[in-house]
Amino acid sequence: MGGFDISFFNIRLLDVIDIFLVAIILYYIYSLIRGTIAVNILIGLGLIYVIYIIVKQSNMHLLTEIFGGFISVGSIALIVVFQQEIRRFLIHIGKNISVRRKNLLWSIFVSKKAAEHDNRARLKPIIDACRSMSKSYTGALLVFSKYFDEEYYQSSGEYLDAELSKRLLESIFQKHSPLHDGAVVIVDFRIKTASCVLPLSDSEDLPLHFGLRHRAAIGVTEVSDAVAVIVSEETGEISFAKDGNVNMNIGHEELEELLNASI
C-alpha cells in the first residue's frame, strides 16, 4: 500500500533546539527594532531574497545575476543599514548581563525584604514629585531605564547626572523651566538627562486624545526595556507605560507598586 514518504525529515533533538534558539534571537531582534523604520527595511530585504530564490528556481539568468550580486554583498549592506540597531543590540545584551549580575550579587548579600524596603525609600521623592505635579497640573514625562545609552538619550537632551530629589524634578518640569519640554531619563535613581526627545509611537490603535507625552512614553517602551511615567498637563492624571502598553489614571500607591516591580 502506497504512502507518503517522510524519511527525508531526519530531525534530531539538536535541530529542534537550533530552531528554537534562532526563533528566540529573531524575536529578540524584532523587539528591539519594533516600531522603527528598520522593520520596513528588513521586510524589503526579505522580499528581495524571496524574489531571488524564485528567479533562480525559474532559471531566469539575467535577473538571477542581478539579484545574486545584491545578495552577495548583503551582509555588508546589512551592517551599513542597521549599524545603529546592531550597536543597540550589542549594548542591550552587555548591559542586561551586567544588570542581572549586579542584581544577583545584591540578592546574595541583601535579603529580598530589605532590598524592597530600600527600593521603596528611594522611590519616595519620585512618588511625592508626581503627586505634587498632579495636583498642580504640571505636565511631566519620566523614563526609567536599566542602563544609559549615551547616543540614544544624551544626544537629544541636557546631560545632568544629578542626584534624584523631589524639588529637582519639580523644578525641571516647572512650566517656565527651559528643560520642562521633553523627558527626564532616570537610571539607578539618578537623573541622567532632562529635556530628552523620545521616538513617538506609530501605532494606529492609540486613542485620539493621547498627546505627545503619552505617544513618546509608549514609543520609548516599545523599542527598549524602559518604563515611563506620565503626568497629564490637562487632567493631572498619572499614567504608567511599559512594553508599549499604558495604565491610565493610576493612584500613587499603584504607581509605587508598578515602579517597585519594574526598576
Side-chain angles (χ1 to χ4, degrees):
M1 184 176 178
F4 183 66
D5 184 12
I6 59 172
S7 59
F8 60 90
F9 286 109
N10 186 19
I11 299 178
R12 304 169 301 159
L13 177 60
L14 287 178
D15 295 328
V16 176
I17 295 175
D18 187 26
I19 294 172
F20 179 72
L21 292 176
V22 170
I24 291 177
I25 293 173
L26 290 176
Y27 175 78
Y28 196 70
I29 294 174
Y30 174 74
S31 67
L32 285 177
I33 66 174
R34 181 181 57 186
T36 68
I37 194 173
V39 175
N40 295 331
I41 296 174
L42 194 62
I43 292 173
L45 292 174
L47 288 175
I48 290 175
Y49 185 74
V50 170
I51 294 173
Y52 167 71
I53 296 299
I54 293 174
V55 297
K56 184 178 181 181
Q57 294 298 323
S58 303
N59 292 322
M60 302 172 69
H61 302 293
L62 183 58
L63 285 176
T64 300
E65 288 295 325
I66 294 173
F67 284 105
F70 184 86
I71 296 297
S72 64
V73 295
S75 58
I76 299 176
L78 284 175
I79 293 174
V80 173
V81 173
F82 293 105
Q83 57 179 325
Q84 296 298 329
E85 284 73 18
I86 292 172
R87 179 181 179 275
R88 283 182 53 212
F89 175 72
L90 296 176
I91 291 176
H92 196 70
I93 293 175
K95 294 290 185 178
N96 271 345
I97 292 174
S98 177
V99 168
R100 289 193 179 113
R101 186 174 58 216
K102 178 181 176 182
N103 290 338
L104 178 60
L105 292 173
W106 180 261
S107 64
I108 291 174
F109 295 105
V110 182
S111 68
K112 183 178 180 181
K113 189 173 183 180
E116 184 176 343
H117 181 270
D118 182 67
N119 211 34
R120 289 182 182 277
R122 294 196 291 176
L123 283 173
K124 189 177 186 305
I126 300 170
I127 304 301
D128 291 344
C130 289
R131 181 188 290 112
S132 175
M133 291 186 291
S134 175
K135 289 181 180 178
S136 61
Y137 293 90
T138 301
L141 174 56
L142 290 77
V143 175
F144 300 86
S145 180
K146 290 183 173 63
Y147 63 91
F148 184 67
D149 186 339
E150 289 85 355
E151 185 172 338
Y152 188 65
Y153 291 120
Q154 187 177 342
S155 61
S156 64
E158 294 293 331
Y159 185 69
L160 300 179
D161 194 23
E163 184 177 348
L164 179 63
S165 70
K166 174 179 178 290
R167 288 186 177 181
L168 181 54
L169 285 175
E170 290 176 332
S171 298
I172 290 173
F173 289 111
Q174 197 267 339
K175 294 180 181 178
H176 299 291
S177 167
L179 300 178
H180 82 282
D181 214 10
V184 160
V185 178
I186 299 172
V187 181
D188 288 334
F189 294 96
R190 290 188 66 83
I191 298 177
K192 288 294 186 178
T193 61
S195 191
C196 187
V197 179
L198 302 177
L200 301 181
S201 174
D202 294 327
S203 175
E204 299 179 354
D205 300 328
L206 299 180
L208 295 177
H209 67 270
F210 273 11
L212 291 179
R213 284 194 181 92
H214 286 84
R215 292 183 178 274
I218 296 169
V220 73
T221 61
E222 284 176 339
V223 300
S224 71
D225 58 357
V227 298
V229 174
I230 313 102
V231 180
S232 173
E233 187 174 355
E234 289 77 20
T235 64
E237 292 181 357
I238 299 175
S239 304
F240 178 83
K242 181 178 181 180
D243 296 330
N245 300 312
V246 181
N247 293 357
M248 300 290 294
N249 194 20
I250 60 176
H252 308 126
E253 292 184 359
E254 186 178 358
L255 175 62
E256 183 178 10
E257 293 294 332
L258 289 169
L259 286 175
N260 192 45
S262 303
I263 63 177

